[in-house]
Amino acid sequence: LDLSAHETREKKVIYLVTDMAGVRARISVILGHLHRTAARPSPVLCTVASRRDSSTSSAAGDAWWAKHSRVQVLDSEMSYFDSDPGADKTTVIFLHGNPTSSFLWRNIVPLVQPHARCIAPDLIGMGRSGKNPSGSYRFVDHYRYLSAFLDKVNVPSQLTLVIHDWGSGLGFHWSHQNPARVQGIVFMEGLVGVMKSWDNFPEVSKKVFQAMRSDAGEEMVLKKNFFVERLLPMAIMRTLSEDEMAAYREPFLEPGESRRPTLTWPREIPIKSDGPQDVVDIVEGYVEWLTTTNNIPKLFVNAKPGFFSSANKIVSERWPNVKTVTVKGLHFIQEDSPQEIGQAIAEFVKEM
C-alpha cells in the first residue's frame, strides 16, 4: 500500500492508499468473486436455513463457549473466556473483529495461558454476547460496552492487548484513552490509518463496499449473510470444517437484525472524504499517539500474503518500540497460523 501524507495545522495524518499491485490483485480477485455472487442465492445459506433447527450446532463452538462466563454490562450481557478469574497477574485481552467472535482465538489462547491470565470477550451482539437493546452497533457503541466490560471483570491496573481487524481499532482507541494501563500491544491485520477517498479503492472492492454502505447492504448482509458466508471463508487459506463454519454462523443464523453488527462495521470504515467523521477523528487520534509513544512495547504479527499487512508494516515502521514476526495467512490468520501466533504472543509476554 502506498502512503501519502497530509499536513494539518496541528498534526500529520497518514492516509492509506490501496495501490500496491499485489494487495490490489488479492482484494480485487476475492471481492470480484463476492460482487458477482452477492446477488445470487447462496446454496450454503439455503441449506442452513432449511436445517437450522437440527444441524446448526457446532461441537467446537460449544466446547469453546462452555468455558465462558457471562457478566452484566450496561443494559445487556457479555460472554467472555477468563482463564484465571480475578487473578492479579499479567493479563492479556484478546479482541476480535468482524464477523468473528472470541472463537477466533480458541487455538491461540491455550499457548499464552501458561504465561498470563487470558480474557477473550465476544463483542456486543456477536458470539454469545447479548444484543444492544438500542439496536445500534457503531464503533462508539462497541467501545462503550467494551470499556464497561473491562471495568467490570476485575482486571489488573495494566493490560496487554492482542487485537485484530475491528478489535484493533477498539484496542488502539482504548490504549490511547488509557495509556497508563497499557503494558503491551500485539496487533495483526489491523486498522492503522484513514482511507483518503473512495478513489483509493480498487474498482471492484469500491463497488462492494459502497454497496454495503447503501440500501443494498441490507440485502447483501441482513438477508444473505455476506460476511460469514462469503468473505470469511475466502479470507482464510485453509478450508474451514463445516463444524467451524457452524460456530461462526451461530450468532447470525436468523436473517435480519441479528446480522446488524456485521453490516454496521463496513459502514464504519473511516474514509476522509465520506466519514463517518467521529471514527475518522478516533483513528487519526490514536495513529498520531502511536507514532509518538515509545514506552509501550508492541508486536506486529505480519501476514504473508495478508490483506492489510503490507499497510500495517509500512505504518508500524514509523512507530517506536515495535517488533515484527511473520506468519502465513490472508486476513483471518488465526485460522491458518495459530501455533506461530500463539508462540509469538507467549514470547512477547514473557519478555515483558
Side-chain angles (χ1 to χ4, degrees):
L1 302 185
D2 294 335
L3 295 175
S4 59
H6 172 70
E7 293 287 347
T8 67
R9 286 179 300 176
E10 298 178 351
K11 60 189 176 182
K12 176 184 286 186
V13 180
I14 301 299
Y15 296 110
L16 302 183
V17 184
T18 53
D19 281 332
M20 178 180 272
V23 177
R24 175 188 284 269
R26 288 194 295 277
I27 295 175
S28 294
V29 167
I30 290 174
L31 289 175
H33 172 81
L34 298 176
H35 182 68
R36 289 190 299 273
T37 59
R40 300 201 302 265
S42 165
V44 175
L45 279 175
C46 294
T47 303
V48 169
S50 65
R51 60 181 181 169
R52 187 173 60 208
D53 58 345
S54 60
S55 304
T56 56
S57 63
S58 162
D62 288 343
W64 169 248
W65 279 302
K67 305 172 186 177
H68 277 220
S69 301
R70 297 184 72 80
V71 63
Q72 185 77 28
V73 178
L74 302 177
D75 50 3
S76 189
E77 288 187 335
M78 289 182 68
S79 171
Y80 67 102
F81 171 87
D82 189 343
S83 63
D84 299 281
D88 186 17
K89 65 179 186 179
T90 299
T91 298
V92 180
I93 309 295
F94 294 81
L95 299 179
H96 68 87
N98 189 34
T100 58
S101 65
S102 63
F103 183 73
L104 185 71
W105 303 109
R106 69 196 180 283
N107 295 320
I108 294 172
V109 164
L111 300 172
V112 184
Q113 195 169 327
H115 311 287
R117 177 184 173 189
C118 296
I119 299 176
D122 293 328
L123 296 178
I124 195 72
M126 307 182 80
R128 291 193 180 176
S129 283
K131 308 299 184 184
N132 180 358
S134 75
S136 177
Y137 295 98
R138 295 198 62 233
F139 184 101
V140 292
D141 297 308
H142 282 284
Y143 183 75
R144 185 166 57 93
Y145 280 97
L146 175 63
S147 296
F149 167 80
L150 292 175
D151 289 339
K152 195 77 178 283
V153 292
N154 189 23
V155 294
S157 59
Q158 282 202 311
L159 304 172
T160 294
L161 304 182
V162 177
I163 53 182
H164 172 256
D165 191 83
W166 278 105
S168 72
L170 295 169
F172 283 140
H173 183 42
W174 188 89
S175 299
H176 183 205
Q177 299 301 306
N178 301 274
R181 297 193 61 190
V182 182
Q183 186 174 16
I185 301 173
V186 181
F187 64 100
M188 57 203 84
E189 286 286 296
L191 181 59
V192 299
V194 173
M195 190 70 71
K196 190 174 182 180
S197 75
W198 284 110
D199 292 338
N200 302 134
F201 277 80
E203 191 61 29
V204 175
S205 60
K206 177 167 69 175
K207 291 178 180 178
V208 171
F209 279 90
Q210 284 179 326
M212 284 188 287
R213 288 164 77 118
S214 73
D215 291 343
E218 270 68 13
E219 174 75 15
M220 294 171 65
V221 178
L222 300 189
K223 291 187 178 181
K224 296 183 177 177
N225 210 11
F226 171 87
F227 270 96
V228 174
E229 298 297 344
R230 302 295 190 188
L231 187 57
L232 175 68
M234 295 188 72
I236 299 169
M237 295 178 76
R238 72 180 180 89
T239 301
L240 293 176
S241 70
E242 190 60 30
D243 190 67
E244 291 168 324
M245 279 298 299
Y248 284 120
R249 287 186 183 113
E250 180 188 307
F252 312 118
L253 282 172
E254 188 68 32
E257 289 304 309
S258 78
R259 299 170 182 171
R260 178 64 62 179
T262 70
L263 175 59
T264 301
W265 279 127
R267 293 175 171 178
E268 295 292 281
I269 295 171
I271 301 173
K272 187 67 174 178
S273 63
D274 193 39
Q277 189 59 47
D278 57 348
V279 184
V280 169
D281 293 341
I282 286 168
V283 175
E284 288 180 346
Y286 71 60
V287 169
E288 181 184 22
W289 173 74
L290 286 162
T291 304
T292 59
T293 302
N294 58 17
N295 63 329
I296 298 175
K298 307 167 199 70
L299 175 65
F300 166 46
V301 182
N302 180 42
K304 288 290 187 179
F307 273 9
F308 308 117
S309 287
S310 296
N312 285 193
K313 186 173 187 298
I314 293 170
V315 173
S316 67
E317 287 173 350
R318 300 170 181 262
W319 298 349
N321 204 358
V322 179
K323 291 185 176 180
T324 300
V325 298
T326 299
V327 304
K328 72 175 183 179
L330 293 175
H331 181 60
F332 301 102
I333 61 177
Q334 298 88 340
E335 292 292 357
D336 286 315
S337 298
Q339 187 79 18
E340 294 84 352
I341 295 170
Q343 289 173 347
I345 297 170
E347 288 300 317
F348 180 73
V349 168
K350 286 192 290 183
E351 288 175 5
M352 288 192 301

